[in-house]
Every structure is written in C-alpha cells, then in structure tokens.
Amino acid sequence: MALVQVSSNKCFGGYQKVYEHESSELKCKMRFAIYLPPKAESAKCPVLYWLSGLTCTEQNFITKAGSQQAASEHGIIIVAPDTSPRGCNIEGEDESWDFGTGAGFYVNATQDPWKTNYRMYSYITEELPWLLSSNFSVDPERMSLSGHSMGGHGALVCAFKNPGKYKSVSAFAPICNPSQCAWGQKAFTGYLGPDKTTWEAYDATLLAASYSGPALDILIDQGRDDQFLSASQLLPDNLIAACSTKNIPVVFRLQQGYDHSYFFVFSFISDHIKHHAKYLNA
C-alpha cells in the first residue's frame, strides 16, 4: 500500500512526518502523523498510538502536545492518525461538529450510510499497525495507546477489547461511559443504531466491568476545571468504579485548575510517555 509523504520536519534529532494513503478499511484517503525518534534509524522501536478528540485531525497533537522531546529520549515512535474518514460525500457528514467528519468515535459503524466508511476501530487496530510494520522500523510486539477526550475513549476501548495486544494505556479527559452521555448516545445511535446492547462493545466502563485479560496498567489525567466534566460528558467515576470491581489498576489524577484543552495535554504528556516507556522498553 503506497504511502505519500506530505511533510517532514526534523525535531529533537528525529523526524516529525505526515503521510497520506488510500485506506482499505475506510475507502478514502487518510492521513497520519508519525514521529520517528533518532533510535529508529538503527533499531526497531516500540509504537505509541495517539488518538485525538472531536473535531481534530492529525495536526492537533503534533503541533500542540509537545510530545516529541520525550519520545526522542525514550526511543518511542508516536503515531497520530486522523479522527475520521473525510470527503466521503455522505449526506450529513459535515452537519455537526460531534458527529460525522472529525467524530468517528473509533467504532465500526453498522448503520447506513456510515457503515462503508466509518470503520475507525478496525483502521486503528488492524490496518494502521500493518501499514506501519510494512513501511517503518517498528516492533509490532510493543504497542501502547493514549488519547484525549473522544480519543481517550478510543484508546481505552481498543485496549479492553484486545487483551494482551497493547502493553499499556493512558488517557486525558476520556469519554469514559459514552452510553450514558449525550455525545456518546448521539454517535452510537447514528453509527450503531438504536439497540443499546450493540453499544456495549464500545463503552470503556462496560468493557472494564467484563474484562478478564492480562494486567493492564491505566493512567488517566482529568482537569478539575474541565467544562465537559461538569457537563457529565466524561463520567470518569463510572469507569473507576468498574475497574475497582475487577481489580484493574488505575492511576486517576484530578488536576486542579486545568481544562479540556491541549494546554492540559501539553502539561502532562511527558508523564504519559514515561508511563508507557516502562512497559514498551521493559
């Protein structure tokens, strides 16, 4: 599968690049960003997948999160894909900021007209890892996940649904219980249909409640002044309770004064990369 390089910039001794390709899962052109640390020139490196939130592209993380220095120091490749298919000419795809373009929610849609293109779950867990292994110096046995907001939801879901595939997982202000919040209910109804039992496959809180895989060490940072926390969109307490019942270790840090923005992500991204490095470089 051909990759077309869109940009390349040297950064902390490595390279921050963006590529475009035709996606077999999503039936459209997709872009992803990849940071290649200096170590990748001479050895296979572990991969941290970063999943961004509503309205984002691959650009938000690479220009606002400040992840490259820590990734360079720890020898970790970071891959940040776009958040949804684009330009599919689906009626209604650009009508809402929280559904359609920029809001793929990391699910495999089952409903028309979304099911042909909106297969972000399979894109993240299957197509993208294969694409990376075929084109870059990555170690496919050492993968981890992180993300912000909708992307935090995606990271947790992918980790819970694939026991043992990912070494670790972390999230910033994740949508923890989408079946119970307005964002999730809107997305799940549109992509998965009205039968709420089908939603359970993409709800981190419900997946945690039935998780029986190997140990999974979770780090979550949440801003105390996050407007979406007070609006009951994120519901971290529900996830923490489910993980506690199943003895899944979670470090949950409520950060005083921080909101939902990338200033929050920038402030703690190094902690998250160190968290993943413990497992990826073990």
Side-chain angles (χ1 to χ4, degrees):
M1 193 178 298
L3 294 181
V4 177
Q5 183 172 287
V6 176
S7 63
S8 178
N9 301 94
K10 192 156 190 176
C11 190
F12 290 103
Y15 285 90
Q16 180 63 68
K17 296 174 180 283
V18 174
Y19 287 92
E20 186 174 76
H21 70 102
E22 291 285 348
S23 169
S24 58
E25 282 288 351
L26 308 179
K27 306 296 188 294
C28 68
K29 285 186 177 180
M30 285 294 287
R31 287 190 176 187
F32 66 88
I34 181 169
Y35 179 72
L36 298 168
K39 188 176 179 180
E41 295 181 7
S42 58
K44 288 190 174 184
C45 293
V47 182
L48 174 62
Y49 290 92
W50 171 269
L51 307 184
S52 292
L54 288 163
T55 76
C56 291
T57 70
E58 80 289 340
Q59 288 294 315
N60 298 74
F61 179 73
I62 65 174
T63 59
K64 295 181 178 181
S67 63
Q68 291 90 347
Q69 183 172 8
S72 175
E73 292 172 355
H74 291 285
I76 295 173
I77 293 170
I78 301 185
V79 176
D82 201 350
T83 53
S84 70
R86 294 180 190 269
C88 297
N89 298 315
I90 299 173
E91 184 178 356
E93 66 184 357
D94 296 323
E95 288 182 0
S96 303
W97 67 273
D98 56 356
F99 184 79
T101 302
F105 261 84
Y106 305 101
V107 304
N108 283 347
T110 58
Q111 303 298 299
D112 289 325
W114 311 100
K115 65 183 182 182
T116 298
N117 302 99
Y118 277 66
R119 296 179 52 80
M120 286 298 296
Y121 173 77
S122 288
Y123 178 72
I124 297 300
T125 60
E126 297 175 20
E127 182 176 358
L128 200 51
W130 177 85
L131 198 60
L132 295 176
S133 295
S134 302
N135 291 277
F136 300 97
S137 183
V138 303
D139 183 348
E141 299 301 316
R142 291 186 292 160
M143 301 190 298
S144 289
L145 293 157
S146 188
H148 173 228
S149 194
M150 176 184 74
H153 139 79
L156 291 165
V157 165
C158 290
F160 284 131
K161 285 174 70 67
N162 296 275
K165 183 170 186 173
Y166 302 98
K167 299 296 185 184
S168 52
V169 63
S170 73
F172 292 81
I175 303 172
C176 293
N177 196 184
S179 297
Q180 301 300 318
C181 75
W183 279 342
Q185 290 166 353
K186 178 178 180 177
F188 285 2
T189 299
Y191 295 137
L192 305 175
D195 180 359
K196 294 184 179 180
T197 62
T198 66
W199 301 3
E200 297 173 5
Y202 297 103
D203 187 308
T205 295
L206 299 178
L207 291 169
S210 61
Y211 184 76
S212 59
L216 187 62
D217 193 355
I218 303 171
L219 171 63
I220 296 175
D221 271 311
Q222 172 65 60
R224 186 183 290 273
D225 290 2
D226 187 327
Q227 67 272 36
F228 300 117
L229 178 64
S230 58
S232 298
Q233 293 280 24
L234 306 178
L235 304 173
D237 291 348
N238 296 359
L239 175 65
I240 293 166
C243 288
S244 177
T245 299
K246 298 294 287 187
N247 294 316
I248 300 170
V250 179
V251 174
F252 179 76
R253 308 192 304 187
L254 194 59
Q255 303 289 6
Q256 182 69 38
Y258 286 91
D259 57 19
H260 200 74
S261 71
Y262 262 90
F263 293 107
F264 166 54
V265 175
F266 185 94
S267 299
F268 300 104
I269 190 65
S270 292
D271 289 353
H272 283 243
I273 292 173
K274 289 177 185 176
H275 167 77
H276 295 293
K278 286 188 303 183
Y279 301 94
L280 292 173
N281 292 328

